[in-house]
Amino acid sequence: MSSKRTPSMSAKPASNTLLLSMPGNEITAEALGALLGFASMPITVHTFPDGESLVTLPEGIADYNVVLVCTLDQPNAKLAPLLFAADAARQLGAKRVGLIAPYLAYMRQDMRFHSGEAISSRTFAATLSRYLDFLLTVDPHLHRVHMLGEIYAIPSRVITAAPAIVGWLHCHVTNPLLIGPDVESEQWTAAVAEGLSAPYVVLEKIRRGDSDVSVSLPDTRDLLDRTPVLLDDILSTGRTMIAAVTRIRESGLPAPICVCVHAVMAGDAYQALLAAGAAEVVSCNTISHASNAIDITPLLAQGLLPFCQ
Ligand code: R5P
């Protein structure tokens, strides 16, 4: 059993909303709390030798609206402690229990691609919906599912990182050409290109396996004076972006700047992408990573307000 003391509030917070961070989400919760004037406190998770989790919430949360903060990369390890925390918050008297998940996992397995496969996005959504009252997230991978409400049974809000990405590119890149590595990325690429009044192209992608990806680039000979900016929602193995960087370099364009919303960065993705010739790799801070350069906390704060009335 953990010997750590349970954190508690030294003074009653002015607001009726409390932000409770799951481990690893303290910085996001504190930044949101500072922007909104909400208290933020950590939830502790002790892992027993057998792998089970002991989740401990701060004292004094009764009658507050509790907002759990937990980004959901590496979701399997995070799900059980998150559900324990949500259930405990309700038992301890929280009025409502919501979740800010800057990255929402399992959105890509939105159909049965091969016989026998689980449709994970639906089961994951049903599980979270069972324990939570609302959900706030950033650019979930909406493709065949068009709105979170199709699979989540609770009120949800989606924040798009596009304005923050536009702001960063506006300050750091002159004469950009936005490039989406596959048809699914067009929604983000088009929005950012419009915000910058810049042209965009979208590549065609074929994925044969987790790390086996090829893309084809349309004719960009009229755009050789532009700085290519590759933009995708999720950078996981990096193989999509690596294939795109290779095509872009072959076409005579300069080395691209690679931008993603969610730096999932599985395995050697970051190093491999830099080694493949990316000029720079930049991400939003929905998942903590060395590439984080674009702060989406103000957008999250705005998105949370309607849930805190
Ligand atoms: C899928 O369509 C997503 O938008 C990304 O393109 C994909 O998740 C990237 O994965 P990876 O980095 O493993 O190639």
Side-chain angles (χ1 to χ4, degrees):
M1 184 117 28
S2 169
S3 58
K4 283 188 191 144
R5 289 185 56 210
T6 304
S8 62
M9 285 177 280
S10 46
K12 196 170 163 61
S15 153
N16 65 350
T17 300
L18 289 178
L19 300 164
L20 301 187
S21 52
M22 297 300 288
N25 295 270
E26 295 82 359
I27 291 174
T28 306
E30 280 165 23
L32 280 168
L35 284 171
L36 294 167
F38 297 164
S40 75
M41 305 187 75
I43 289 174
T44 61
V45 178
H46 171 75
T47 305
F48 290 110
D50 60 3
E52 292 186 2
S53 301
L54 173 65
V55 173
T56 307
L57 278 64
E59 289 175 356
I61 65 169
D63 298 327
Y64 284 94
N65 292 320
V66 163
V67 182
L68 303 173
V69 183
C70 186
T71 202
L72 285 169
D73 59 313
Q74 303 294 326
N76 294 2
K78 292 181 177 179
L79 183 61
L82 176 62
L83 299 183
F84 298 155
D87 205 25
R90 207 177 299 282
Q91 291 164 13
L92 293 170
K95 275 206 271 192
R96 296 168 79 213
V97 184
L99 171 66
I100 298 178
Y103 173 65
L104 186 59
Y106 279 119
M107 289 300 292
R108 286 169 292 176
Q109 185 69 23
D110 57 2
M111 64 175 274
R112 191 167 286 118
F113 296 93
H114 303 101
S115 71
E117 287 179 351
I119 305 175
S120 319
S121 63
R122 288 187 179 272
T123 312
F124 195 72
T127 306
L128 289 183
S129 299
R130 160 80 179 75
Y131 288 92
L132 295 162
D133 294 317
F134 62 84
L135 169 67
L136 174 66
T137 189
V138 182
D139 286 324
H141 189 83
L142 294 170
H143 182 42
R144 280 160 290 260
V145 172
H146 300 107
M147 291 164 53
L148 286 183
E150 291 172 32
I151 56 174
Y152 279 82
I154 50 176
S156 58
R157 276 176 72 85
V158 166
I159 300 305
T160 177
I165 295 172
V166 167
W168 189 89
L169 290 171
H170 183 71
C171 294
H172 294 86
V173 182
T174 49
N175 213 23
L177 164 65
L178 275 295
I179 302 178
D182 58 24
V183 70
E184 294 165 46
S185 67
E186 181 160 7
Q187 49 189 306
W188 297 282
T189 310
V192 170
E194 187 182 345
L196 292 166
S197 301
Y200 78 90
V201 295
V202 172
L203 314 191
E204 273 180 41
K205 172 164 101 177
I206 299 173
R207 171 159 238 142
R208 294 176 211 86
D210 289 345
S211 297
D212 185 2
V213 175
S214 60
V215 296
S216 57
L217 184 70
D219 190 348
T220 49
R221 275 174 294 185
D222 293 346
L223 298 164
L224 293 178
D225 60 331
R226 295 260 169 185
T227 305
V229 177
L230 257 172
L231 176 63
D232 208 353
D233 59 337
I234 299 169
L235 204 164
S236 180
T237 65
R239 267 50 199 180
T240 299
M241 285 230 183
I242 289 170
V245 168
T246 307
R247 286 288 89 73
I248 288 166
R249 298 311 310 271
E250 286 168 359
S251 75
L253 283 162
I257 296 165
C258 295
V259 181
C260 68
V261 179
H262 306 295
V264 171
M265 301 291 184
D268 69 346
Y270 186 45
Q271 295 75 12
L273 185 51
L274 289 169
E280 195 176 351
V281 181
V282 168
S283 63
C284 301
N285 56 350
T286 60
I287 299 169
S288 177
H289 186 261
S291 61
N292 290 169
I294 303 171
D295 183 16
I296 48 79
T297 321
L299 295 170
L300 270 181
Q302 266 175 32
L304 181 60
L305 278 177
F307 287 126
C308 302
Q309 309 300 329

